[in-house]
Amino acid sequence: MNPQPANRTAVIAAVLVGVGALLSSLAGYLFVLGGVPNVPRAWILPDPLGWGFGRGGSPLPVLGMLLALVVLSGLTWLFVRMIVRGALPGRGAAVFFGTWGAVMIASAAAGLVRAPLTLAYLQIDPTQIEIYQVQFFTISTAGVTWALVWGWVTALVAAIVHRAAAGPAAPSGAHGAGHPAPAYPPQQAYPQQQ
């Protein structure tokens, strides 16, 4: 496959994931300020980045949020680029499910990067291992939950862009539908010597 459509699809996916994560985190932060209960908010709109602006004092929440955003977008770009380059032209389902999985893996990595900074900001005592583990798990998997709930949107756009870049399907010739034409013409028989 031509690397240009792979780059284009990967950039679009990375931008969509970054913008979606920022908007989701901002909406979650505004819902918290508005007093929306945790149960419907956390199921419908998980917070993948932990909106860090508006928390006075320490720069750790903002640093954690920005670092998670960079990791999320960068790994999404890298994984989607590899997926699209490996997918056959016109195979949108492979790109869809591969991109959705890539967003989940990138979100897990972003959560693992963000969790220690958030816990340092919250000043949870590491000697209280149960509380520390629960908070670390909750913070690091919030992005994966978000990717599971909303990552399909990015995956759908990536599949559409991939299908559009593949162009029209090859016409079915003498070899039948789904069978590629031979790369080389058949070998000609040599005339027999007398």
Side-chain angles (χ1 to χ4, degrees), residues 93-146:
V95 173
F96 175 81
F97 288 109
T99 301
W100 198 358
V103 172
M104 286 184 224
I105 293 170
S107 296
L112 289 174
V113 167
R114 177 176 76 101
L117 293 172
T118 304
L119 291 174
Y121 168 72
L122 295 174
Q123 298 177 351
I124 295 176
D125 186 13
T127 60
Q128 297 177 344
I129 196 71
E130 292 86 15
I131 296 172
Y132 194 82
Q133 285 176 343
V134 167
Q135 290 301 319
F136 187 89
F137 179 78
T138 303
I139 292 167
S140 62
T141 58
V144 178
T145 306
W146 173 81

Side-chain angles (χ1 to χ4, degrees), residues 40-62:
R41 177 180 48 85
W43 287 348
I44 297 170
L45 198 61
D47 188 359
L49 300 177
W51 191 260
F53 296 106
R55 299 177 184 170
S58 175
L60 288 176
V62 175

Side-chain angles (χ1 to χ4, degrees), residues 138-194:
T138 303
I139 292 167
S140 62
T141 58
V144 178
T145 306
W146 173 81
L148 185 62
V149 173
W150 294 105
W152 65 270
V153 176
T154 300
L156 182 63
V157 171
I160 290 170
V161 169
H162 174 71
R163 294 273 307 201
S172 59
H175 300 286
H179 299 301
Y184 301 102
Q187 237 179 354
Q188 301 295 323
Y190 291 107
Q192 294 188 357
Q193 294 179 343
Q194 295 188 2

Side-chain angles (χ1 to χ4, degrees), residues 25-36 41 51:
S25 290
L26 175 62
Y29 179 70
L30 293 176
F31 285 153
V32 167
L33 290 180
V36 175
R41 177 180 48 85
W51 191 260

